[in-house]
Amino acid sequence: MWGYMNEKLAGILTLDDETMMKKGKRKNEGGALIFLGAAFMIMGVCHHFFLEILYDSRIMWIAVSAAALIIGILCLVFGIKIFGQTGQSVAESWAERNHYSPEEMREFNRESRMSTAVAVHNEYWSSSPIPKTINDLRAEHGAETGLLTEHWFKAPDTVPVDIMRYVDIAAMWFEPKELYGHYQGIYYIKSTGKGEYFRCGEEFGRWLVGEISKRNPMTITAGSFEFEGAGYNGYKNPGEVAALYRDEFAKRRTKEA
């Protein structure tokens, strides 16, 4: 665990609000299509002038050359068109991925920069070399670092970034055994019914489940359980667990009202 957020951590692992809302040109997508289009056109020309000998039919030789040229032209046209278009901001991209609004993603980002936010990581990293101390952290480690803010949780080591409100975590538990092709790690189910997983060690996993439970006591912390005589299995039927959570959460809200 890196600990509570400070100015140094915030500068490495989070974005300022201006960067969150900045929209760039779609140069990468456009450039890739332009390159692909040029490659197809070159292939078509080379095929037409140098590979006629491979064909028994002149019609087939011409058709293959023409097809390569047409694909190349289409890629070039769309690439040039996309190259000048404005892409999504980070807030819009995160919102689309996580099913929140861009303003809610900005709220998460603002909370993640506060001194009350906690930056966490586990012993499994996708990147190399693995950072051992805060001094080893780089900006690209932001995607692999988890965050616990006042109202939001960002799962560690998830690409694309996985962000959710605590109230939207229907279930989370640590599984110490290898299960369904996964190593030991954290399983969690969102209130939408979508199940997710990331690998982690037992000490970190049990600590994290405990922290989420403190922030949302209604989050279910078992993968398989019984409730009012009915059996539930979060591994096999995450939708049923999420439906139970939504029902019980709604009942609590009704009582509180």
Side-chain angles (χ1 to χ4, degrees):
M1 184 173 77
W2 298 124
Y4 285 100
M5 191 62 65
N6 55 41
E7 188 175 348
K8 182 173 184 177
L9 276 175
I12 298 171
L13 300 175
T14 69
L15 303 173
D16 58 58
D17 199 57
E18 182 180 353
T19 303
M20 280 285 291
M21 295 305 296
K22 185 178 180 180
K23 295 184 178 184
K25 298 294 183 181
R26 299 178 64 184
K27 294 181 179 180
N28 290 338
E29 300 100 314
L33 279 173
I34 291 171
F35 176 82
L36 189 63
F40 267 104
M41 292 186 71
I42 292 170
M43 287 168 56
V45 171
C46 291
H47 178 273
H48 187 75
F49 284 106
F50 301 112
L51 299 179
E52 181 181 3
I53 193 172
L54 298 178
Y55 293 87
D56 295 327
S57 169
R58 185 176 178 83
I59 294 175
M60 182 60 69
W61 163 63
I62 294 173
V64 173
S65 299
L69 287 170
I70 290 170
I71 292 173
I73 291 170
L74 288 174
C75 287
L76 276 173
V77 170
F78 283 110
I80 291 169
K81 183 178 180 180
I82 291 174
F83 194 84
Q85 290 181 349
T86 301
Q88 290 182 313
S89 65
V90 174
E92 289 170 335
S93 176
W94 287 2
E96 184 178 311
R97 164 71 174 86
N98 296 286
H99 307 291
Y100 293 103
S101 69
E103 185 52 45
E104 286 174 311
M105 292 295 90
R106 292 175 70 189
E107 175 192 300
F108 156 74
N109 191 63
R110 286 193 292 268
E111 286 191 11
S112 71
R113 296 173 65 83
M114 294 179 180
S115 59
T116 51
V118 182
V120 300
H121 72 90
N122 62 64
E123 59 268 61
Y124 298 107
W125 287 76
S126 299
S127 62
S128 181
I130 299 173
K132 299 296 184 183
T133 68
I134 291 177
N135 293 328
D136 299 326
L137 283 173
R138 303 187 301 275
E140 53 264 36
H141 291 132
E144 300 174 66
T145 300
L147 290 168
L148 296 164
T149 77
E150 184 178 357
H151 301 100
W152 297 87
F153 169 62
K154 173 183 172 292
D157 204 18
T158 52
V159 179
V161 63
D162 202 12
I163 302 166
M164 66 217 79
R165 288 185 183 275
Y166 298 123
V167 294
D168 293 327
I169 305 175
M172 177 181 283
W173 67 95
F174 173 76
E175 178 54 56
K177 305 184 298 294
E178 291 187 17
L179 194 67
Y180 302 119
H182 291 307
Y183 293 102
Q184 68 171 13
I186 289 281
Y187 292 79
Y188 56 100
I189 301 171
K190 299 181 182 181
S191 57
T192 58
K194 185 177 182 182
E196 301 283 2
Y197 156 87
F198 61 85
R199 186 182 181 187
C200 69
E202 183 165 0
E203 182 179 356
F204 175 82
R206 296 197 184 282
W207 172 84
L208 182 58
V209 171
E211 290 299 309
I212 295 298
S213 184
K214 289 177 187 176
R215 291 162 170 79
N216 180 10
M218 291 200 67
T219 294
I220 299 163
T221 56
S224 182
F225 60 94
E226 287 190 2
F227 181 77
E228 295 184 347
Y232 293 86
N233 189 317
Y235 310 103
K236 297 180 179 179
N237 300 300
E240 292 182 359
V241 174
L244 172 65
Y245 172 81
R246 292 194 301 269
D247 290 344
E248 293 303 309
F249 192 84
K251 290 177 185 177
R252 190 186 76 169
R253 285 291 179 90
T254 301
K255 288 181 181 178
E256 290 176 350

